[in-house]
Amino acid sequence: MVKVDISMNSQLEKSIQQLKESVEASIDQLLPLSDQRPDNLHSSMRYSLCDGGKRVRGILVLLCSKIFKASADPLPAAVAIECIHAYSLIHDDLPAIDDSDIRRNKPSNHIAFNEATAILAGDALLTEAFKILSENYKENPELGIRLIQELATASSSLGMIGGQMEDIENEGQAVVASTLDFIHENKTAKLIQAAIYMGFAFSEESKRHSNEIRQLGYHIGMSFQYIDDLLDVQSDTETLGKPTGSDSDSDKLTSVKVYGIEGTQKKVAEHTSQAEALLDQLGGEQSILRPYIQFLQNRLN
Amino acid sequence: MVKVDISMNSQLEKSIQQLKESVEASIDQLLPLSDQRPDNLHSSMRYSLCDGGKRVRGILVLLCSKIFKASADPLPAAVAIECIHAYSLIHDDLPAIDDSDIRRNKPSNHIAFNEATAILAGDALLTEAFKILSENYKENPELGIRLIQELATASSSLGMIGGQMEDIENEGQAVVASTLDFIHENKTAKLIQAAIYMGFAFSEESKRHSNEIRQLGYHIGMSFQYIDDLLDVQSDTETLGKPTGSDSDSDKLTSVKVYGIEGTQKKVAEHTSQAEALLDQLGGEQSILRPYIQFLQNRLN
C-alpha cells in the first residue's frame, strides 16, 4: 500500500492554507468578473478556476520564489500557471477527449455550461495566463519574458499538450514503459517543473544553481504523476473528486499497469530522495517547501 | 454592389507575394516539424497553419514595422499572430461551435484528423504563439513583453474569444446593431488591430503617435469585417474557399442583415477614408502599406 498520510503539523498546515488563500484572492482579483460581457464566458472561466483545486502549482511558484530573495511579487505568476492547469482540465473533460462529466465533485464545465462555452472558456484561460504575465511583469520585462517562456514551453506541443495527445492515442494499446514515461514526463511533470522554474526565476541567485533546479523540477514532477496513478487505483471517489479507477477502466496507460503497485511506490521513493538530495545542495529558505513536498508525496488527493 | 477589384500593379503584387512567402518560410522554420513526436499533433498544426490563407495579419505586422525604423526582426511576430488566427479557425470549425467541414477548399482540421486532435492542435498553436514571441524577443524583452501583451489582450475573453462567444449566443436572435458592433469589434477587428499595433511596436518613433495608431487599427479592423460580410453574400464558393451564404443561412448576425448591402458598403467607405486620413498624419514609409490597405478594401476573398 502507498503510504497515505495527510497529517501536517498545524503550523505548516496554516502556512499552506494561507498560501492557497493568497493564490485564490489573486485569481479573484486578476480574472475578469462574472458580470463582465460576455458574462456567460467569464462565469464559465471562473466556474473552473475559482472553486476547488489544491493550487499545488501556484503554491510551488510561491514557495520556490522564497528560497532566495525574490525580485518581484510572484502571485501573478502563480495565477497564470493555475489558469493553464484549469484550461487543460476543461479541455481534457470534453466529450471528444476524456468525456468526463464530473470534476472536483461537481459537473464538468461542458456539463454545467455547454460544449461550445467550455471550448472557448478553455481557450480564454490559456490566453489569460499570458495576458496576466505580460501585464504584471512589464516593469520587469526580463523576468516577464523568462516566466512566459517557461510556461509556454512546458505547456506546448513539446510538453503538456504533447503528453495529452499520446495519452489519447495509446488508450487500449499494449503497455509500453517508454510510452508511459513520455506521457508522464510531458502531460503532468512538465507543468510541475515549470512551477518550480518560474518560482526560482524571481531570484538572481538561482542563476548559479540552474542545473540543480532543472533536476529538482524533474524529480518532483515525475513523482507527482506516479502518486496520481496510485491514488487512482487506491483512493475512493469522494476523496478524489472524480471517479476512481477511471484511468484504468478506460484502458489508459498507467504506471500501476506497467510497474505494479510496489514498483510504482519504489519510483516515488527514488524521485523523492533525489529531490531531497538536491534541496540539500541548494540551501536557502526551505522551511515550508520541504515539508510541503513531503506532504505532496503522501497526499491523499 | 461592392467594388470587387483584385488588380494590383505588378510591382506591388510582387512585393506582397514576397512578404507572404517570407511569413510562410518563417512559419515553416519556427513550427515543430511534422515528424517530431507526437507527429500526428504536429501534422495537424501544420495542416491548418502552413497551407493556405492570405497571411493578412502577418503581412500587416511586417508593413507596419517598416513605416518607421524597426529595432528587431518582425518575422517571428508575424508568425505568432498567424498561429492565433489559425487556432481560432480550427476551434470555430468544431462540431460544437460552427460545425464547418470545409475550410480553404479542403476538409476542416477535425475532418482531416479527428475532433480530439483538432482541439489539441488549436490549443498547441495558441500556446506556440507565445512560445515563439518569448523565445525570439528575449534579447529585447521590453519589445517582447509589449508584443505579448498586445496579442494576448486582442485574442482574450475581452477580445476575439468574447466576440466569438456572443456570435454563437446570438445565432437566430433578432438583429440588434449594438450586438453586431460588439461581435465585429471583438471577433475580427481586434486581431487586425493587434497586427497593426505589433508592427508599430518595433519602432521607437511610433510612441509619439500612439493615438493615431490606435485609431488606424480600429478603422482598418472594422472595415475588414464589413467586407467579409459583403463577400459572404456576393462571392462564389470556390473563390471564398468555404460555402458562401453560410453565415446568413445559419442565422448569424451579419452587417448585411442589419445595414443592408448599401449601408454596409457605406460603412466600408467611411472606415477606409478615416484610415487614409490617419495615414496622411503618420507619414513614414507607406509605399506598400497604403496600396495594400486599398487592395484589402476591395479584395475578392
Side-chain angles (χ1 to χ4, degrees):
Chain A
M1 276 290 290
V2 62
K3 198 170 105 199
V4 171
D5 176 5
I6 53 161
S7 67
M8 289 195 277
N9 70 55
S10 63
Q11 185 50 49
L12 176 68
E13 204 166 336
K14 212 166 139 185
S15 304
I16 294 298
Q17 185 58 29
Q18 280 170 351
L19 291 168
K20 186 169 178 280
E21 283 167 13
S22 68
V23 173
E24 287 172 348
S26 291
I27 288 172
D28 188 48
Q29 190 199 329
L30 293 175
L31 222 64
L33 295 171
S34 294
D35 60 4
Q36 247 176 301
R37 186 174 180 181
D39 47 356
N40 218 21
L41 177 63
H42 292 121
S43 299
S44 171
M45 291 164 74
R46 282 181 167 260
Y47 177 83
S48 290
L49 181 56
C50 296
D51 180 19
K54 297 177 295 294
R55 314 297 181 195
V56 173
R57 293 154 193 78
I59 290 172
L60 283 174
V61 169
L62 300 185
L63 288 175
C64 291
S65 79
K66 287 179 204 319
I67 290 190
F68 305 118
K69 197 176 150 32
S71 59
D73 179 8
L75 273 167
V79 173
I81 199 166
E82 290 291 329
C83 287
I84 294 289
H85 180 54
Y87 114 73
S88 75
L89 299 180
I90 296 174
H91 282 190
D92 282 3
D93 287 341
L94 286 168
I97 301 190
D98 288 348
D99 196 13
S100 299
D101 289 358
I102 300 285
R103 168 74 64 183
R104 291 175 182 155
N105 294 318
K106 61 180 191 178
S108 302
N109 195 295
H110 66 277
I111 301 292
F113 294 82
N114 60 41
E115 222 179 306
T117 307
I119 293 167
L120 295 180
D123 293 345
L125 284 169
L126 200 180
T127 309
E128 196 67 22
F130 298 106
K131 183 164 175 277
I132 286 172
L133 290 173
S134 62
E135 280 173 358
N136 287 276
Y137 299 107
K138 70 180 161 197
E139 306 305 328
N140 206 338
E142 267 183 61
L143 170 64
I145 280 277
R146 168 82 191 282
L147 294 170
I148 289 163
Q149 192 179 358
E150 293 289 2
L151 189 57
T153 304
S155 56
S156 73
S157 65
L158 301 174
M160 185 182 76
I161 300 171
Q164 173 66 351
M165 185 76 223
E166 294 223 357
D167 197 17
I168 298 169
E169 288 179 338
N170 285 285
E171 271 184 53
Q173 300 294 310
V175 169
V176 179
S178 64
T179 305
L180 180 76
D181 289 345
F182 178 92
I183 294 169
H184 274 186
E185 206 172 312
N186 286 284
K187 185 177 173 180
T188 305
K190 281 201 176 157
L191 200 60
I192 297 284
Q193 285 170 45
I196 290 165
Y197 304 156
M198 288 168 80
F200 277 107
F202 282 83
S203 60
E204 267 302 304
E205 197 175 337
S206 64
K207 286 184 184 160
R208 295 196 289 117
H209 304 285
S210 54
N211 271 344
E212 294 92 321
I213 292 168
R214 293 274 142 193
Q215 291 175 52
L216 178 70
Y218 173 77
H219 290 298
I220 295 176
M222 290 302 281
S223 71
F224 190 86
Q225 174 70 57
Y226 287 125
I227 294 171
D228 242 14
D229 280 0
L230 285 167
L231 289 167
D232 187 63
V233 178
Q234 301 180 336
S235 198
D236 62 277
T237 301
E238 200 186 341
T239 315
L240 208 59
K242 61 180 181 182
T244 48
S246 58
D247 289 346
S248 39
D249 289 351
S250 73
D251 285 334
K252 289 222 171 189
L253 279 183
T254 79
S255 38
V256 175
K257 281 186 206 155
V258 178
Y259 302 114
I261 288 185
E262 274 186 30
T264 306
Q265 288 170 335
K266 207 176 144 196
K267 293 219 165 247
V268 172
E270 280 167 10
H271 285 293
T272 306
S273 101
Q274 298 260 29
E276 286 178 339
L278 287 158
L279 283 171
D280 287 342
Q281 287 175 48
L282 275 170
E285 167 48 42
Q286 303 183 356
S287 63
I288 306 178
L289 176 65
R290 194 141 186 157
Y292 182 61
I293 285 173
Q294 285 159 355
F295 164 70
L296 288 181
Q297 316 293 354
N298 301 322
R299 80 208 150 91
L300 186 60
N301 65 7
Chain B
M1 274 290 289
V2 62
K3 198 172 105 197
V4 170
D5 175 5
I6 52 162
S7 67
M8 288 193 279
N9 69 56
S10 65
Q11 185 50 47
L12 176 68
E13 203 167 337
K14 211 165 142 185
S15 304
I16 295 297
Q17 185 58 29
Q18 279 170 352
L19 290 169
K20 186 169 179 282
E21 283 167 14
S22 69
V23 173
E24 287 171 348
S26 290
I27 288 171
D28 187 49
Q29 190 199 329
L30 292 175
L31 221 65
L33 295 170
S34 294
D35 60 3
Q36 248 177 301
R37 186 173 179 182
D39 47 357
N40 218 21
L41 178 63
H42 291 121
S43 300
S44 171
M45 291 165 73
R46 283 181 167 260
Y47 176 83
S48 290
L49 181 55
C50 296
D51 180 18
K54 298 176 295 297
R55 313 298 180 195
V56 173
R57 293 154 193 79
I59 290 171
L60 282 174
V61 170
L62 300 185
L63 289 175
C64 291
S65 78
K66 289 178 205 317
I67 290 190
F68 305 117
K69 196 176 150 32
S71 59
D73 178 8
L75 273 167
V79 173
I81 199 165
E82 290 291 329
C83 287
I84 294 289
H85 180 54
Y87 114 73
S88 75
L89 299 181
I90 296 175
H91 282 190
D92 282 3
D93 286 341
L94 287 168
I97 302 189
D98 289 348
D99 197 14
S100 299
D101 289 358
I102 300 285
R103 168 74 63 183
R104 291 174 181 156
N105 293 318
K106 61 181 192 177
S108 303
N109 195 296
H110 66 277
I111 302 291
F113 294 82
N114 59 41
E115 221 180 305
T117 307
I119 293 168
L120 295 180
D123 293 344
L125 284 169
L126 201 180
T127 309
E128 197 68 22
F130 298 106
K131 182 164 175 277
I132 286 171
L133 290 173
S134 62
E135 280 173 358
N136 287 276
Y137 299 107
K138 70 179 163 198
E139 307 304 329
N140 207 338
E142 266 182 62
L143 170 63
I145 280 277
R146 168 84 192 281
L147 294 170
I148 290 164
Q149 192 179 358
E150 293 289 1
L151 189 57
T153 304
S155 57
S156 73
S157 64
L158 301 174
M160 185 183 75
I161 300 171
Q164 172 67 352
M165 185 77 224
E166 294 222 357
D167 196 17
I168 298 170
E169 288 179 337
N170 285 286
E171 272 184 51
Q173 300 295 309
V175 168
V176 179
S178 65
T179 305
L180 179 76
D181 288 345
F182 178 92
I183 294 169
H184 274 187
E185 206 172 312
N186 286 285
K187 185 176 172 181
T188 306
K190 282 204 175 156
L191 200 60
I192 297 284
Q193 285 170 44
I196 290 164
Y197 304 156
M198 289 169 78
F200 278 107
F202 281 84
S203 60
E204 267 304 303
E205 198 173 339
S206 64
K207 286 183 184 161
R208 294 196 290 117
H209 304 284
S210 55
N211 271 345
E212 294 93 320
I213 293 167
R214 293 275 142 193
Q215 291 174 53
L216 178 69
Y218 173 77
H219 290 297
I220 293 176
M222 290 303 281
S223 71
F224 190 86
Q225 174 69 58
Y226 287 124
I227 293 171
D228 242 15
D229 281 0
L230 285 168
L231 288 168
D232 187 64
V233 178
Q234 301 180 334
S235 197
D236 62 276
T237 300
E238 200 185 342
T239 315
L240 207 60
K242 61 180 181 182
T244 48
S246 58
D247 289 347
S248 40
D249 289 352
S250 74
D251 286 334
K252 289 220 174 190
L253 279 184
T254 79
S255 38
V256 176
K257 281 187 207 155
V258 177
Y259 303 113
I261 288 184
E262 274 185 31
T264 305
Q265 288 171 335
K266 208 177 143 198
K267 293 221 166 245
V268 172
E270 280 166 11
H271 285 293
T272 306
S273 103
Q274 299 259 30
E276 286 177 340
L278 287 158
L279 283 172
D280 286 342
Q281 287 175 48
L282 275 170
E285 167 48 44
Q286 303 184 359
S287 63
I288 306 177
L289 176 65
R290 195 143 184 154
Y292 182 60
I293 286 174
Q294 285 157 355
F295 164 71
L296 288 181
Q297 316 292 354
N298 300 323
R299 80 210 150 90
L300 186 62
N301 65 6

